[in-house]
Short mmCIF file of all heavy atoms in Angstrom, two decimals:
data_model
loop_
_atom_site.label_atom_id
_atom_site.label_comp_id
_atom_site.label_asym_id
_atom_site.label_seq_id
_atom_site.Cartn_x
_atom_site.Cartn_y
_atom_site.Cartn_z
N GLN C 661 45.40 13.36 43.69
CA GLN C 661 45.72 13.75 45.07
C GLN C 661 46.75 14.83 45.04
O GLN C 661 47.86 14.60 44.47
CB GLN C 661 46.18 12.55 45.88
CG GLN C 661 46.40 12.75 47.35
CD GLN C 661 45.08 12.74 48.14
OE1 GLN C 661 44.21 11.92 47.88
NE2 GLN C 661 44.97 13.70 48.96
N VAL C 662 46.49 15.97 45.62
CA VAL C 662 47.46 17.04 45.57
C VAL C 662 47.80 17.54 46.96
O VAL C 662 46.92 17.59 47.85
CB VAL C 662 46.96 18.20 44.66
CG1 VAL C 662 45.63 18.78 45.21
CG2 VAL C 662 47.98 19.34 44.56
N ARG C 663 49.09 17.80 47.21
CA ARG C 663 49.54 18.44 48.43
C ARG C 663 50.43 19.59 48.00
O ARG C 663 51.37 19.35 47.18
CB ARG C 663 50.36 17.52 49.34
CG ARG C 663 49.53 16.37 49.90
CD ARG C 663 50.39 15.44 50.85
NE ARG C 663 51.66 15.06 50.24
CZ ARG C 663 52.82 15.24 50.80
NH1 ARG C 663 52.91 15.80 52.04
NH2 ARG C 663 53.92 14.87 50.20
N ALA C 664 50.19 20.77 48.43
CA ALA C 664 51.03 21.88 48.00
C ALA C 664 51.09 22.92 49.11
O ALA C 664 50.20 22.99 49.96
CB ALA C 664 50.52 22.50 46.73
N GLY C 665 52.18 23.69 49.11
CA GLY C 665 52.29 24.68 50.18
C GLY C 665 53.08 25.89 49.84
O GLY C 665 53.87 25.85 48.85
N LEU C 666 53.00 26.93 50.61
CA LEU C 666 53.70 28.17 50.35
C LEU C 666 55.01 28.18 51.15
O LEU C 666 55.14 27.54 52.16
CB LEU C 666 52.85 29.37 50.80
CG LEU C 666 51.52 29.54 50.12
CD1 LEU C 666 50.74 30.73 50.76
CD2 LEU C 666 51.71 29.78 48.66
N ASP C 667 55.92 28.97 50.56
CA ASP C 667 57.16 29.14 51.36
C ASP C 667 57.04 30.46 52.14
O ASP C 667 55.97 31.10 52.18
CB ASP C 667 58.42 29.18 50.43
CG ASP C 667 58.38 30.36 49.43
OD1 ASP C 667 57.63 31.36 49.68
OD2 ASP C 667 59.06 30.25 48.45
N ALA C 668 58.11 30.83 52.77
CA ALA C 668 58.05 32.05 53.73
C ALA C 668 57.70 33.31 52.94
O ALA C 668 57.13 34.25 53.48
CB ALA C 668 59.33 32.13 54.44
N GLU C 669 58.02 33.36 51.67
CA GLU C 669 57.70 34.59 50.94
C GLU C 669 56.33 34.56 50.30
O GLU C 669 55.99 35.46 49.52
CB GLU C 669 58.77 34.73 49.77
CG GLU C 669 60.09 35.30 50.22
CD GLU C 669 60.96 34.17 50.80
OE1 GLU C 669 61.02 33.10 50.13
OE2 GLU C 669 61.51 34.37 51.90
N GLY C 670 55.59 33.52 50.57
CA GLY C 670 54.23 33.47 49.99
C GLY C 670 54.24 32.96 48.55
O GLY C 670 53.26 33.13 47.82
N ARG C 671 55.35 32.41 48.05
CA ARG C 671 55.35 31.72 46.79
C ARG C 671 55.16 30.23 46.96
O ARG C 671 55.39 29.71 48.11
CB ARG C 671 56.66 31.96 46.06
CG ARG C 671 56.92 33.44 45.70
CD ARG C 671 58.22 33.60 44.96
NE ARG C 671 58.23 32.85 43.73
CZ ARG C 671 57.59 33.10 42.58
NH1 ARG C 671 56.85 34.24 42.49
NH2 ARG C 671 57.69 32.37 41.55
N ILE C 672 54.79 29.52 45.93
CA ILE C 672 54.57 28.08 46.05
C ILE C 672 55.93 27.43 46.36
O ILE C 672 56.91 27.64 45.62
CB ILE C 672 53.96 27.48 44.78
CG1 ILE C 672 52.73 28.26 44.33
CG2 ILE C 672 53.64 26.01 45.02
CD1 ILE C 672 52.16 27.82 42.99
N GLY C 673 56.02 26.71 47.44
CA GLY C 673 57.31 26.13 47.80
C GLY C 673 57.43 24.69 47.39
O GLY C 673 58.52 24.26 47.01
N TYR C 674 56.32 23.96 47.47
CA TYR C 674 56.36 22.56 47.08
C TYR C 674 55.06 22.15 46.50
O TYR C 674 54.03 22.77 46.72
CB TYR C 674 56.76 21.67 48.28
CG TYR C 674 55.62 21.42 49.23
CD1 TYR C 674 54.75 20.33 49.05
CD2 TYR C 674 55.36 22.32 50.27
CE1 TYR C 674 53.72 20.09 49.91
CE2 TYR C 674 54.29 22.10 51.09
CZ TYR C 674 53.51 21.01 50.98
OH TYR C 674 52.39 20.80 51.78
N TRP C 675 55.20 21.07 45.73
CA TRP C 675 53.94 20.55 45.03
C TRP C 675 54.13 19.05 44.86
O TRP C 675 55.05 18.58 44.26
CB TRP C 675 53.89 21.26 43.65
CG TRP C 675 52.68 20.89 42.86
CD1 TRP C 675 52.55 19.75 42.11
CD2 TRP C 675 51.53 21.69 42.69
NE1 TRP C 675 51.29 19.79 41.49
CE2 TRP C 675 50.65 20.96 41.82
CE3 TRP C 675 51.10 22.88 43.21
CZ2 TRP C 675 49.38 21.42 41.45
CZ3 TRP C 675 49.86 23.38 42.79
CH2 TRP C 675 48.99 22.62 41.96
N ASP C 676 53.14 18.30 45.37
CA ASP C 676 53.18 16.87 45.31
C ASP C 676 51.90 16.37 44.70
O ASP C 676 50.84 16.69 45.21
CB ASP C 676 53.36 16.28 46.75
CG ASP C 676 53.60 14.76 46.67
OD1 ASP C 676 54.19 14.29 45.70
OD2 ASP C 676 53.20 14.13 47.62
N TYR C 677 51.95 15.65 43.63
CA TYR C 677 50.73 15.33 42.88
C TYR C 677 50.81 13.88 42.47
O TYR C 677 51.77 13.41 41.94
CB TYR C 677 50.63 16.26 41.64
CG TYR C 677 49.34 16.23 40.93
CD1 TYR C 677 48.28 17.01 41.37
CD2 TYR C 677 49.15 15.49 39.75
CE1 TYR C 677 47.06 17.03 40.71
CE2 TYR C 677 47.94 15.50 39.06
CZ TYR C 677 46.91 16.29 39.57
OH TYR C 677 45.73 16.36 38.86
N GLU C 678 49.65 13.14 42.70
CA GLU C 678 49.57 11.78 42.25
C GLU C 678 48.25 11.59 41.57
O GLU C 678 47.27 12.26 41.93
CB GLU C 678 49.59 10.83 43.42
CG GLU C 678 50.81 10.81 44.24
CD GLU C 678 50.69 9.76 45.38
OE1 GLU C 678 50.75 8.56 45.12
OE2 GLU C 678 50.47 10.21 46.53
N LEU C 679 48.22 10.72 40.60
CA LEU C 679 46.95 10.48 39.94
C LEU C 679 46.84 8.94 39.63
O LEU C 679 47.80 8.27 39.52
CB LEU C 679 46.84 11.24 38.66
CG LEU C 679 47.80 10.91 37.59
CD1 LEU C 679 47.12 10.20 36.42
CD2 LEU C 679 48.46 12.13 37.03
N TRP C 680 45.55 8.51 39.59
CA TRP C 680 45.27 7.13 39.32
C TRP C 680 44.35 7.10 38.08
O TRP C 680 43.33 7.78 38.10
CB TRP C 680 44.54 6.42 40.47
CG TRP C 680 45.38 6.15 41.66
CD1 TRP C 680 45.97 4.97 41.98
CD2 TRP C 680 45.81 7.11 42.66
NE1 TRP C 680 46.72 5.07 43.16
CE2 TRP C 680 46.60 6.45 43.59
CE3 TRP C 680 45.58 8.46 42.87
CZ2 TRP C 680 47.15 7.02 44.73
CZ3 TRP C 680 46.14 9.08 44.01
CH2 TRP C 680 46.91 8.36 44.90
N SER C 681 44.71 6.38 37.12
CA SER C 681 43.86 6.33 35.91
C SER C 681 44.14 5.06 35.13
O SER C 681 45.26 4.55 35.04
CB SER C 681 44.18 7.54 35.00
OG SER C 681 43.45 7.41 33.80
N GLY C 682 43.04 4.58 34.52
CA GLY C 682 43.16 3.50 33.51
C GLY C 682 43.66 4.08 32.21
O GLY C 682 44.02 5.23 32.08
N SER C 683 43.61 3.21 31.19
CA SER C 683 44.19 3.60 29.92
C SER C 683 43.44 4.67 29.19
O SER C 683 42.21 4.64 29.12
CB SER C 683 44.25 2.30 29.02
OG SER C 683 44.61 2.65 27.74
N HIS C 684 44.20 5.57 28.57
CA HIS C 684 43.61 6.63 27.71
C HIS C 684 43.91 6.27 26.26
O HIS C 684 43.71 7.15 25.42
CB HIS C 684 44.17 8.00 28.07
CG HIS C 684 43.65 8.56 29.34
ND1 HIS C 684 42.65 9.51 29.36
CD2 HIS C 684 43.97 8.32 30.66
CE1 HIS C 684 42.40 9.83 30.64
NE2 HIS C 684 43.19 9.11 31.45
N ASN C 685 44.32 5.10 25.98
CA ASN C 685 44.56 4.75 24.59
C ASN C 685 44.35 3.27 24.35
O ASN C 685 45.19 2.46 24.67
CB ASN C 685 45.99 5.15 24.19
CG ASN C 685 46.22 4.89 22.74
OD1 ASN C 685 45.30 4.69 21.96
ND2 ASN C 685 47.49 4.95 22.32
N GLU C 686 43.17 2.96 23.84
CA GLU C 686 42.89 1.59 23.44
C GLU C 686 42.64 1.47 21.97
O GLU C 686 41.89 0.59 21.52
CB GLU C 686 41.68 1.06 24.25
CG GLU C 686 42.03 0.86 25.73
CD GLU C 686 43.19 -0.09 25.94
OE1 GLU C 686 43.05 -1.26 25.45
OE2 GLU C 686 44.17 0.25 26.54
N ARG C 687 43.20 2.36 21.22
CA ARG C 687 42.98 2.32 19.76
C ARG C 687 43.76 1.11 19.22
O ARG C 687 44.76 0.70 19.81
CB ARG C 687 43.54 3.56 19.07
CG ARG C 687 42.79 4.86 19.54
CD ARG C 687 43.15 6.01 18.67
NE ARG C 687 42.43 7.19 19.00
CZ ARG C 687 42.94 8.18 19.72
NH1 ARG C 687 44.14 8.15 20.15
NH2 ARG C 687 42.19 9.22 19.96
N PRO C 688 43.31 0.59 18.06
CA PRO C 688 44.09 -0.48 17.45
C PRO C 688 45.45 0.08 17.08
O PRO C 688 45.54 1.12 16.56
CB PRO C 688 43.36 -0.87 16.19
CG PRO C 688 42.37 0.23 15.97
CD PRO C 688 42.11 0.89 17.27
N GLY C 689 46.48 -0.55 17.34
CA GLY C 689 46.72 -1.78 18.07
C GLY C 689 46.32 -3.04 17.30
O GLY C 689 46.20 -3.07 16.11
N ASN C 690 46.14 -4.01 18.07
CA ASN C 690 45.81 -5.28 17.47
C ASN C 690 44.27 -5.43 17.29
O ASN C 690 43.52 -4.58 17.74
CB ASN C 690 46.40 -6.48 18.24
CG ASN C 690 45.68 -6.74 19.54
OD1 ASN C 690 45.05 -5.82 20.14
ND2 ASN C 690 45.65 -7.94 19.95
N ALA C 691 43.90 -6.47 16.62
CA ALA C 691 42.52 -6.70 16.34
C ALA C 691 41.72 -6.87 17.61
O ALA C 691 40.54 -6.65 17.72
CB ALA C 691 42.29 -7.89 15.43
N GLY C 692 42.45 -7.28 18.66
CA GLY C 692 41.76 -7.51 19.96
C GLY C 692 41.33 -6.23 20.64
O GLY C 692 40.69 -6.28 21.67
N LYS C 693 41.65 -5.10 20.08
CA LYS C 693 41.16 -3.82 20.65
C LYS C 693 39.72 -3.58 20.21
O LYS C 693 39.14 -2.55 20.58
CB LYS C 693 42.02 -2.67 20.22
CG LYS C 693 43.47 -2.75 20.73
CD LYS C 693 43.62 -2.57 22.22
CE LYS C 693 45.06 -2.26 22.64
NZ LYS C 693 45.20 -2.27 24.09
N LEU C 694 39.22 -4.40 19.30
CA LEU C 694 37.93 -4.11 18.65
C LEU C 694 36.84 -5.02 19.25
O LEU C 694 37.01 -6.24 19.34
CB LEU C 694 38.01 -4.37 17.13
CG LEU C 694 39.09 -3.52 16.44
CD1 LEU C 694 39.33 -4.02 15.01
CD2 LEU C 694 38.73 -2.07 16.44
N VAL C 695 35.74 -4.42 19.60
CA VAL C 695 34.66 -5.15 20.30
C VAL C 695 34.23 -6.43 19.52
O VAL C 695 34.07 -7.47 20.18
CB VAL C 695 33.46 -4.24 20.55
CG1 VAL C 695 32.25 -5.00 21.00
CG2 VAL C 695 33.85 -3.19 21.62
N PRO C 696 34.00 -6.30 18.25
CA PRO C 696 33.52 -7.54 17.59
C PRO C 696 34.45 -8.76 17.77
O PRO C 696 34.02 -9.90 17.83
CB PRO C 696 33.42 -7.18 16.10
CG PRO C 696 33.17 -5.67 16.21
CD PRO C 696 34.00 -5.17 17.30
N ALA C 697 35.77 -8.43 17.85
CA ALA C 697 36.72 -9.52 18.02
C ALA C 697 36.53 -10.29 19.31
O ALA C 697 36.88 -11.48 19.39
CB ALA C 697 38.15 -8.98 17.91
N TRP C 698 35.98 -9.64 20.32
CA TRP C 698 35.79 -10.30 21.57
C TRP C 698 34.62 -11.27 21.60
O TRP C 698 34.50 -12.15 22.44
CB TRP C 698 35.47 -9.26 22.70
CG TRP C 698 36.45 -8.16 22.85
CD1 TRP C 698 37.71 -8.12 22.40
CD2 TRP C 698 36.18 -6.95 23.48
NE1 TRP C 698 38.29 -6.93 22.76
CE2 TRP C 698 37.39 -6.18 23.42
CE3 TRP C 698 35.05 -6.42 24.18
CZ2 TRP C 698 37.40 -4.93 23.96
CZ3 TRP C 698 35.17 -5.14 24.72
CH2 TRP C 698 36.38 -4.40 24.60
N LEU C 699 33.74 -11.06 20.58
CA LEU C 699 32.49 -11.82 20.57
C LEU C 699 32.58 -13.11 19.76
O LEU C 699 31.69 -13.94 19.83
CB LEU C 699 31.36 -10.92 20.08
CG LEU C 699 31.17 -9.60 20.86
CD1 LEU C 699 30.09 -8.72 20.21
CD2 LEU C 699 30.81 -9.91 22.30
N LEU C 700 33.60 -13.16 18.91
CA LEU C 700 33.68 -14.31 18.00
C LEU C 700 33.91 -15.63 18.72
O LEU C 700 34.35 -15.66 19.87
CB LEU C 700 34.86 -14.11 17.01
CG LEU C 700 34.82 -12.80 16.18
CD1 LEU C 700 36.12 -12.62 15.40
CD2 LEU C 700 33.59 -12.86 15.20
N ALA C 701 33.58 -16.66 18.04
CA ALA C 701 33.79 -18.01 18.63
C ALA C 701 35.26 -18.21 19.00
O ALA C 701 35.57 -18.80 19.98
CB ALA C 701 33.35 -19.08 17.67
N LYS C 702 36.12 -17.63 18.14
CA LYS C 702 37.56 -17.61 18.51
C LYS C 702 37.91 -16.16 18.80
O LYS C 702 38.39 -15.49 17.89
CB LYS C 702 38.43 -18.14 17.33
CG LYS C 702 38.18 -19.61 17.02
CD LYS C 702 39.52 -20.20 16.48
CE LYS C 702 39.21 -21.58 15.85
NZ LYS C 702 39.04 -21.57 14.38
N PRO C 703 37.73 -15.71 20.03
CA PRO C 703 37.96 -14.31 20.29
C PRO C 703 39.40 -13.95 20.19
O PRO C 703 40.28 -14.78 20.36
CB PRO C 703 37.42 -14.13 21.74
CG PRO C 703 37.42 -15.49 22.31
CD PRO C 703 37.35 -16.45 21.21
N ILE C 704 39.67 -12.70 19.89
CA ILE C 704 40.99 -12.15 19.85
C ILE C 704 41.13 -11.27 21.08
O ILE C 704 40.33 -10.37 21.29
CB ILE C 704 41.29 -11.38 18.59
CG1 ILE C 704 40.99 -12.25 17.39
CG2 ILE C 704 42.75 -10.92 18.55
CD1 ILE C 704 41.13 -11.56 16.03
N ALA C 705 42.20 -11.48 21.86
CA ALA C 705 42.38 -10.63 23.05
C ALA C 705 43.10 -9.36 22.72
O ALA C 705 43.98 -9.34 21.80
CB ALA C 705 43.15 -11.46 24.11
#
Side-chain angles (χ1 to χ4, degrees):
Chain C
Q661 184 76 45
V662 59
R663 297 182 309 128
L666 300 175
D667 64 19
E669 282 81 47
R671 294 183 58 77
I672 308 174
Y674 76 92
W675 183 280
D676 185 33
Y677 192 82
E678 296 180 77
L679 65 108
W680 288 259
S681 175
S683 171
H684 286 260
N685 184 12
E686 291 300 305
R687 296 191 178 103
N690 74 331
K693 298 292 197 186
L694 304 168
V695 167
W698 306 341
L699 305 176
L700 301 171
K702 295 210 192 99
I704 305 175

